[in-house]
Amino acid sequence: MSKVLERFIKYISIDTSSSEESGLHPSTDKQKKLGLVLKNELDFLGATNVYHDEHNYVYAIIPSTDSSIDKTIGLVAHMDTSPEASGEDVKAIFIKNYDGKDILISSTQKLSPSVFPELKNYIGKTIIHTDGLTLLGSDDKAGIAEIMTLAEILLSDIASGNSQYKHGAISIAFTPDEEIGEGVMFFDVKRFGADYAYTVDGGALGELEYENFNAASAVIEFSGISIHPGDAKDKMINAASIACEFQSMIPLDERPETTSGYEGFYHLTDMEGDVTSAKLTYIIRDHDNSQFIARKAFVEQCVNIINSKYGAGTAKAIIKDQYKNMREIIDPQNMFLIDKASEAMRINGVEPIIKPIRGGTDGANLSFMGIPCPNLSTGGHNFHGVYEYIPLESMEKMVEVLLSIVVS
């Protein structure tokens, strides 16, 4: 078993789902188990300044082997997995020498090239997926495994006393709660110590991203009046029905399932309610800041329409910004980071796929905290759901790419 695969299997065996509801930091205590595993592993490998704090951030340094390099590069990945699918008791299943046909992941589910045409790119490769009950966790445990495998290569090289690789200091950080938009809430920029960095948190091999959505969450709360249905005429206000009415105001062509590229959206992620009260939870996304502002205003407008129809206070919106588009920081002043990563990919036979992220990373917020931080691929596909998979060879190739990025 290759080192990166060995680590990946170990990391995905630890349930690290985050939670938007707990209000804790980290949002789930179980994330700390992986944090401790990574801290101990970095200590064992010989990293310096290894630190695991109370909020479950893990930091470490790979020492410089070239005193002429005065800039510190950083690598970042996140420990939590999306709460949108279970991360408990993940069972990794291997399809060796994939033949390009449908992959049955359960009696009722399959990975099919007719739905996921990119599978055809991996004929002859080893595909890793689950049994259809959980997500896989390559977002972002593949990124962690790739960074940790790189760390082992470089730290073993240093320990040999005759360093083959010349590089400056390399900062490593693993964060909690990225999936709920809180990945850098307690990030210690000074302890991290990097001048610039890359998150290893992208999708298909070769993806290289320095543009992401502007992002906000929106929780819409509805208050109703419950009256016996036999005597409800002109008296009942059904909060659940009004919530459905609100959702019907969201344009059909401005939802994730109908948009791509630079197109923004409103995404209903959760709903609950009855006659007395109801709640809808959305994420709002747009690459263009002016359109992003307009989207938030549209949500408020819809709330006002509901209140004018059913009475003041029937609906209330709680909108919170989550992250901004890092392009503002990267382009043009830090485009050398994109050039460096592109060259590293090509050296290793990977064609860069430079595209906007239809999502966000810790790097978006880190960029606005003084650490320009574009995003690199992990090799995975179909994140946040039971159809997630990753080719083993893509993880192995990303270790080579990372090595080419950090070594002078």
Side-chain angles (χ1 to χ4, degrees):
M1 187 181 297
S2 70
K3 290 286 189 178
V4 70
L5 177 58
E6 182 180 346
R7 288 190 167 92
F8 180 64
I9 296 302
K10 177 169 68 174
Y11 302 156
I12 65 173
S13 71
I14 303 170
D15 181 8
T16 58
S17 298
S18 47
S19 169
E20 294 182 296
E21 307 299 328
S22 74
L24 302 174
H25 306 287
S27 64
T28 53
D29 201 55
K30 56 192 174 182
Q31 293 181 63
K32 293 180 180 178
K33 181 177 179 181
L34 180 55
L36 185 60
V37 166
L38 295 172
K39 185 266 184 189
N40 289 340
E41 190 172 345
L42 286 162
D43 276 329
F44 178 79
L45 291 174
T48 62
N49 299 84
V50 180
Y51 187 73
H52 181 208
D53 72 14
E54 68 273 24
H55 298 298
N56 201 44
Y57 291 78
V58 178
Y59 305 92
I61 299 290
I62 299 172
S64 172
T65 61
D66 187 341
S67 60
S68 69
I69 301 174
D70 61 357
K71 295 293 186 182
T72 297
I73 190 171
L75 297 172
V76 182
H78 65 88
M79 290 177 270
D80 65 315
T81 57
S82 170
E84 294 181 38
S86 173
E88 184 177 4
D89 193 23
V90 174
K91 293 181 173 64
I93 298 171
F94 298 82
I95 305 296
K96 296 183 179 180
N97 195 24
Y98 172 57
D99 61 7
K101 299 178 182 178
D102 289 355
I103 299 173
L104 294 179
I105 61 177
S106 74
S107 60
T108 59
Q109 299 162 304
K110 63 183 177 181
L111 281 168
S112 174
S114 64
V115 180
F116 307 112
E118 66 279 358
L119 278 164
K120 291 287 190 179
N121 297 330
Y122 304 115
I123 293 174
K125 308 296 186 183
T126 297
I127 304 292
I128 309 170
H129 63 89
T130 74
D131 59 2
L133 297 177
T134 69
L135 47 67
L136 180 60
S138 49
D139 181 13
D140 190 21
K141 291 169 184 172
I144 296 174
E146 291 155 8
I147 292 170
M148 289 295 289
T149 303
L150 171 74
E152 180 177 16
I153 292 169
L154 295 179
L155 290 166
S156 296
D157 178 65
I158 292 171
S160 72
N162 185 24
S163 295
Q164 172 185 351
Y165 300 113
K166 301 300 180 184
H167 55 81
I170 301 165
S171 295
I172 291 173
F174 300 123
T175 65
D177 293 334
E178 189 270 353
E179 295 292 1
I180 60 171
E182 298 178 356
V184 299
M185 181 174 287
F186 296 97
F187 192 94
D188 190 332
V189 170
K190 185 176 180 181
R191 183 179 292 278
F192 185 50
D195 295 287
Y196 55 89
Y198 296 91
T199 48
V200 187
D201 189 22
L205 181 66
E207 287 187 4
L208 172 57
E209 299 146 329
Y210 65 93
E211 301 177 75
N212 60 278
F213 279 136
N214 295 289
S217 65
V219 177
I220 319 299
E221 298 176 344
F222 302 89
S223 298
I225 298 175
S226 181
I227 302 291
H228 188 285
D231 193 32
K233 183 173 171 58
D234 298 327
K235 300 174 185 176
M236 177 187 288
I237 297 178
N238 189 325
S241 293
I242 296 170
C244 293
E245 182 178 344
F246 184 95
Q247 169 61 8
S248 71
M249 298 179 186
I250 303 300
L252 290 172
D253 59 354
E254 296 184 35
R255 302 179 184 185
E257 60 268 35
T258 56
T259 55
S260 63
Y262 285 96
E263 296 171 324
F265 58 72
Y266 309 88
H267 178 35
L268 176 63
T269 62
D270 192 35
M271 58 190 301
E272 58 184 75
D274 53 27
V275 175
T276 302
S277 64
K279 182 171 73 173
L280 301 178
T281 302
Y282 292 87
I283 59 173
I284 303 170
R285 301 290 189 264
D286 210 295
H287 285 91
D288 182 271
N289 190 53
S290 62
Q291 293 182 30
F292 175 60
I293 293 170
R295 289 187 182 282
K296 292 186 288 184
F298 175 74
V299 170
E300 295 281 10
Q301 179 185 345
C302 291
V303 166
N304 291 337
I305 291 171
I306 293 293
N307 287 335
S308 66
K309 184 175 180 179
Y310 296 101
T314 302
K316 178 178 69 172
I318 303 167
I319 300 175
K320 296 180 180 179
D321 286 343
Q322 295 173 311
Y323 48 80
K324 297 169 64 178
N325 189 346
M326 74 173 103
R327 178 171 182 166
E328 181 180 331
I329 303 298
I330 305 297
D331 187 13
Q333 57 270 43
N334 291 294
M335 286 299 288
F336 73 92
L337 295 170
I338 307 306
D339 296 338
K340 176 188 279 286
S342 296
E343 181 183 8
M345 288 180 177
R346 291 192 176 102
I347 287 172
N348 290 284
V350 177
E351 185 60 29
I353 306 168
I354 300 175
K355 55 184 287 190
I357 309 172
R358 287 186 59 78
T361 68
D362 282 336
N365 282 324
L366 288 174
S367 293
F368 287 92
M369 294 166 67
I371 307 171
C373 191
N375 189 44
L376 302 171
S377 59
T378 62
H381 292 263
N382 302 342
F383 295 160
H384 296 194
V386 299
Y387 294 98
E388 184 182 2
Y389 71 91
I390 191 167
L392 169 59
E393 292 81 0
S394 294
M395 287 194 289
E396 293 173 335
K397 183 61 68 172
M398 275 308 301
V399 175
E400 297 174 13
V401 169
L402 293 177
L403 184 62
S404 295
I405 288 174
V406 302
V407 172
S408 58

